[in-house]
Amino acid sequence: MPKIMLLGPPGSGKGTQARVIKEDFGIPVIATGDLLRKNIAERTALGRAAGSYMEAGGLVPDYLVVDLFVSRLAEDDTKSGWLLDGFPRTVPQADALDKLLEERGEKLERVFLLEVPKGLLIRRITGRRVCPVCNSVYHIDSMPPKEPGICDFDGAALITRDDDDEETAENRIDIYNELTSPLVDYYESRGVLTKIDGTIGTERVEQKIRATLA
Ligand code: AMP
């Protein structure tokens, strides 16, 4: 079972692709953004600490996210494979991941970088709707649910994320460029990076990922 990561700016399709790969390979998705939103909804101490950073489109401090990630990876379902979505997002997080995997005797097999130009990212983010129950991702134009405003999978009312307005999206993209994009070199220099054009459609992106893992 694969041990892989999706890297790319907000709106590049990581969440959509994560759902597809999860079904394909039967591996758990570890999405720190989803875990943080769950903590906010449940009003935990972590949720209270993380909320203001997320609302502004900033990054949650490394020590909080690393702790959250460590506890999630320690769960039973991650033994034979996993897909990371949205973690790591900084070089210190990537170093922490390295250390953790070394302790577990595991290796990150491949990192898929989804590349999408900025103008398209903003359009994708502002049209995005998500299911608060199962985290499925939709787009009002390019990937609408069967029934408007309703999740195909569980019938829940779809929501717009608090950080999906245009101004916050711009900020998140800037932060990606500043703090997360150095991870492209980080993983490229280790020979585990595969770049994929994220504008070619969900199915073709999925095919490329499958072909690389085959
Ligand atoms: P996402 O759902 O991946 O777009 O993440 C939403 C927000 O959660 C981000 O804009 C950050 O504020 C926060 N977040 C998610 N993952 C991380 C991470 N690895 N490091 C720091 N902040 C994160």
Side-chain angles (χ1 to χ4, degrees):
M1 299 254 246
K3 294 176 176 157
I4 52 180
M5 178 197 299
L6 296 177
L7 186 62
S12 58
K14 299 189 299 297
T16 302
Q17 210 48 240
R19 178 164 198 108
V20 173
I21 297 171
K22 178 183 173 180
E23 301 287 316
D24 272 6
F25 292 93
I27 49 173
V29 172
I30 306 183
T32 40
D34 289 344
L35 295 172
L36 288 165
R37 279 185 289 276
K38 186 162 176 272
N39 273 273
I40 290 177
E42 291 171 357
R43 298 178 207 282
T44 66
L46 171 62
R48 283 196 297 277
S52 54
Y53 297 101
M54 291 174 72
E55 260 169 48
L59 291 188
V60 175
D62 288 336
Y63 72 98
L64 291 175
V65 182
V66 169
D67 275 0
L68 174 71
F69 178 78
V70 168
S71 2
R72 177 61 187 89
L73 194 68
E75 287 176 28
D76 275 349
D77 61 341
T78 64
K79 289 211 171 75
S80 48
W82 32 257
L83 167 67
L84 310 188
D85 165 9
F87 182 90
R89 259 182 161 95
T90 63
V91 171
Q93 289 180 20
D95 289 339
L97 174 65
D98 265 1
K99 207 167 137 242
L100 187 64
L101 293 182
E102 201 182 312
E103 282 163 14
R104 287 168 59 104
E106 291 182 327
K107 243 184 79 185
L108 173 64
E109 287 159 24
R110 192 124 296 269
V111 175
F112 294 96
L113 172 67
L114 305 183
E115 297 180 301
V116 175
K118 184 169 175 183
L120 186 53
L121 291 175
I122 299 282
R123 270 203 307 255
R124 283 188 177 182
I125 293 172
T126 52
R128 175 155 68 184
R129 300 291 179 270
V130 294
C131 173
V133 176
C134 72
N135 299 314
S136 294
V137 187
Y138 300 87
H139 189 280
I140 47 173
D141 303 320
S142 59
M143 214 197 304
K146 291 188 187 109
E147 206 183 314
I150 302 292
C151 178
D152 292 350
F153 300 97
D154 53 31
L158 300 180
I159 57 163
T160 304
R161 274 170 47 171
D162 287 344
D163 56 352
D164 275 352
D165 62 284
E166 188 163 343
E167 193 189 330
T168 313
E170 293 259 6
N171 195 25
R172 287 160 61 208
I173 293 168
D174 290 346
I175 284 178
Y176 172 85
N177 288 332
E178 186 189 339
L179 295 173
T180 309
S181 69
L183 297 182
V184 173
D185 283 349
Y186 187 101
Y187 290 115
E188 194 158 42
S189 66
R190 293 163 183 221
V192 294
L193 190 83
T194 299
K195 294 182 181 176
I196 299 182
D197 177 352
T199 67
I200 58 178
T202 308
E203 270 176 34
R204 287 182 60 205
V205 171
E206 181 201 356
Q207 279 165 12
K208 285 193 184 277
I209 291 177
R210 289 181 73 105
T212 307
L213 293 175

